[in-house]
Structures are given as C-alpha cells and as structure tokens.
Amino acid sequence: MHKLRNKGYPKMETEMKKNDKNNYKDNKRDGPWELKRENGQIFMKGTYVEGKKEGLWESFHIDGSINGKGLYINDKRDGIWEYYFPNGGLSEKYNYKNGTSINEEKYYKSGIISSKQKYLNGSWEKKKYHEN
C-alpha cells in the first residue's frame, strides 16, 4: 500500500493497494493500468505503452464519480484536462502542450469562472473573477 497525491486535488491523499491485474512487458508498465483504493474502488486508470503513459487517463472521487480526465502523448499531458467537483460540475480546466500548461481556468462550485491564466511570451497573464 502507498499514498498517491491526486494532481487535480493536491491536498487529497488516498491509500492505494497493489493491483495484480496491471501489466508489465520487459520490466516496463505496458497495457491497461488501474490504481485502486484500499477498498478496491478504482482511483485512476489509463494505459501505458512501453513504460510511458499514453491516451486517456481518468481519476475518480471516492464516490466513484469522475474527478479528472485528459490525454497523455508520449508520457506528457497534451490538450484539454478537466477536473470536476463531486457534484459533477467543472472545477478546473487546463490546456497542455507537450507536457506544459499554457492555459488554466478555475471555477466556483456554482459553475461561474473564478480565474483564468494564460502563458504568453514567457510569463503568466492572470485574471480573477468574483462569483457575484
């Protein structure tokens, strides 16, 4: 068992257990992969190809609802990554290019955007919004 920090919610730690169904090829992770909580619930799932994360990866809240999802290309985040509140509402949205975040949006539980950040010319341009 080990602790895994969920990147969508950095303060949340979840007790994990070994999943014997995960695959290895030439001592590298390969094929479908699942991380499970102590109670057997899936916490995160995705695919490895020759030891590198590839394709869609998803993480789940303790109630089984989707926590976050996004794509890996050659072990680097790419494209849109979304994270959700347990009620299903969008909490955060990131746009990655070759593993680097270039655009970030955060939302209040009401669904209203709380902040936007965009990476331009070597620095972050930030804007915050009020819920009212």
Side-chain angles (χ1 to χ4, degrees):
M1 182 176 17
H2 67 282
K3 289 186 178 182
L4 177 72
R5 285 198 181 273
N6 179 339
K7 292 182 180 182
Y9 292 88
K11 294 179 183 174
M12 182 178 77
E13 288 188 357
T14 303
E15 293 289 328
M16 307 305 290
K17 72 174 192 173
K18 185 180 179 194
N19 182 359
D20 293 329
K21 294 181 181 179
N22 291 330
N23 302 302
Y24 286 88
K25 182 178 177 185
D26 299 324
N27 290 324
K28 294 180 183 177
R29 294 175 179 180
D30 196 76
W33 198 266
E34 292 180 348
L35 293 172
K36 292 188 177 184
R37 291 186 172 87
E38 180 83 354
N39 66 4
Q41 239 182 352
I42 295 173
F43 171 69
M44 187 179 297
K45 67 180 181 177
T47 302
Y48 280 94
V49 176
E50 296 179 359
K52 296 180 181 181
K53 291 178 182 173
E54 198 68 47
L56 179 65
W57 277 76
E58 298 172 301
S59 62
F60 302 90
H61 291 290
I62 199 153
D63 67 1
S65 64
I66 189 82
N67 173 29
K69 63 182 178 179
L71 294 175
Y72 277 96
I73 296 177
N74 200 26
D75 212 32
K76 294 181 181 177
R77 290 179 182 212
D78 199 77
I80 303 296
W81 279 71
E82 295 178 333
Y83 294 91
Y84 303 91
F85 293 111
N87 69 5
L90 186 63
S91 67
E92 299 174 20
K93 185 176 180 179
Y94 300 86
N95 188 1
Y96 286 89
K97 185 172 184 180
N98 200 26
T100 301
S101 177
I102 57 173
N103 190 5
E104 301 177 1
E105 297 176 357
K106 295 186 179 183
Y107 297 83
Y108 294 108
K109 285 186 179 180
S110 65
I112 296 172
I113 193 160
S114 65
S115 67
K116 284 185 179 183
Q117 296 187 113
K118 190 172 188 175
Y119 194 73
L120 288 171
N121 303 320
S123 65
W124 283 97
E125 192 176 277
K126 299 177 184 181
K127 188 168 185 179
K128 290 193 174 206
Y129 301 88
H130 295 284
E131 194 166 14
N132 299 343

